Amino acid sequence: VYVARINSINTPGNAQSCAEHCIYLATASLRNVNELARSIRQGKLGWPVGRTIYGARTMVIGYGGIGRELLPRLLAMGAAHVTVVCRNIPTEAHNSDRVTFATFSDLFGVSAGMDRHHTDALFLCCTVNAENMKMVNKTFLDRFHPGLHIINVSRGHLMNFDDVLEAMNRPDNLVAGVGTDVFHTEPFPTPIETDPFLSHPKVVCTPHVAGVTEISYRNMAEVLADNVMRVYDGRTPDGVVNT
């Protein structure tokens, strides 16, 4: 029995869909979509005052398929600067006045010092493993200036939700908003009002749909069908993870 994975980098659609969803969640959080809905219900006009990706200082953790698709989208929307955090800096990566590549230890390691990062929007696009489980915790968040928006389309277990909730409730507004497509338990608890994080007015959540698009599913189906034919012909499927 073969076990194979679908490579998001080599399968057009999935990474692009997730990158677009990052933009959607970031825009919703920066523009305070929950307060916008409240203004509609109350008949208010011209409130709240929002923020934009244009001119924002952003950080992308993870430079796989999603991170590679997200970077040009942020630049195209006018982000002032994008810091790309990856385990190993690709040989083709080049720093510029608007893009900086760095490793996690460069920014958050012991040698990085304790200077706070000026970041408006933080995008979590990396895989989860034993090393980064719940990495977005109090210690991590204290390395940022107040006003941070966190966008997560990767895995819920990258975040310590209790610490993020505490940061959203701090008087200094350390975390100004969260846009998340994932949670530490899925399906999400229902009714959503019973969960203090998901029902928080600073949180925008979607039901794990970042990659659920027509083009993504169509292309994944083509990869699956091709692998079925490869096995039928006596060949090894692409993306096999066992032998």
Side-chain angles (χ1 to χ4, degrees), residues 46-93:
W47 182 261
V49 177
R51 299 168 68 184
T52 61
I53 293 176
Y54 176 79
R57 297 156 297 187
T58 63
M59 181 180 293
V60 177
I61 298 184
Y63 198 56
I66 300 173
R68 291 170 186 266
E69 291 293 335
L70 179 58
L71 175 58
R73 286 165 171 79
L74 291 173
L75 294 174
M77 295 188 71
H81 192 269
V82 184
T83 300
V84 180
V85 185
C86 37
R87 180 174 299 177
N88 299 299
I89 299 176
T91 55
E92 72 274 13

Side-chain angles (χ1 to χ4, degrees), residues 174-195:
L174 177 57
V175 173
V178 174
T180 185
D181 189 50
V182 290
F183 199 48
H184 65 79
T185 177
E186 296 184 10
F188 292 179
T190 54
I192 194 174
E193 290 76 16
T194 63
D195 187 273

Side-chain angles (χ1 to χ4, degrees), residues 6-91:
I6 297 176
N7 191 316
S8 63
I9 296 178
N10 297 327
T11 307
N14 185 263
Q16 290 86 346
S17 298
C18 290
E20 285 188 13
H21 203 72
C22 282
I23 299 298
Y24 165 76
L25 289 174
T27 304
S29 185
L30 288 165
R31 299 302 294 265
N32 198 349
V33 69
N34 291 330
E35 187 64 22
L36 289 173
R38 183 180 178 186
S39 290
I40 292 291
R41 292 193 299 269
Q42 295 180 349
K44 292 182 180 180
L45 292 177
W47 182 261
V49 177
R51 299 168 68 184
T52 61
I53 293 176
Y54 176 79
R57 297 156 297 187
T58 63
M59 181 180 293
V60 177
I61 298 184
Y63 198 56
I66 300 173
R68 291 170 186 266
E69 291 293 335
L70 179 58
L71 175 58
R73 286 165 171 79
L74 291 173
L75 294 174
M77 295 188 71
H81 192 269
V82 184
T83 300
V84 180
V85 185
C86 37
R87 180 174 299 177
N88 299 299
I89 299 176
T91 55

Side-chain angles (χ1 to χ4, degrees), residues 2 58 61 75 78-79 89 96 100 106-107 114-115 130 133 138-140 153 162 172-173 176 179 216 223 228 231:
Y2 288 111
T58 63
I61 298 184
L75 294 174
I89 299 176
S96 67
T100 300
D106 288 337
L107 299 180
M114 294 305 295
D115 291 340
M133 184 81 70
K138 185 180 186 304
T139 301
F140 177 89
V153 298
D162 290 336
D172 65 354
N173 198 37
S216 176
V223 172
V228 169
V231 173

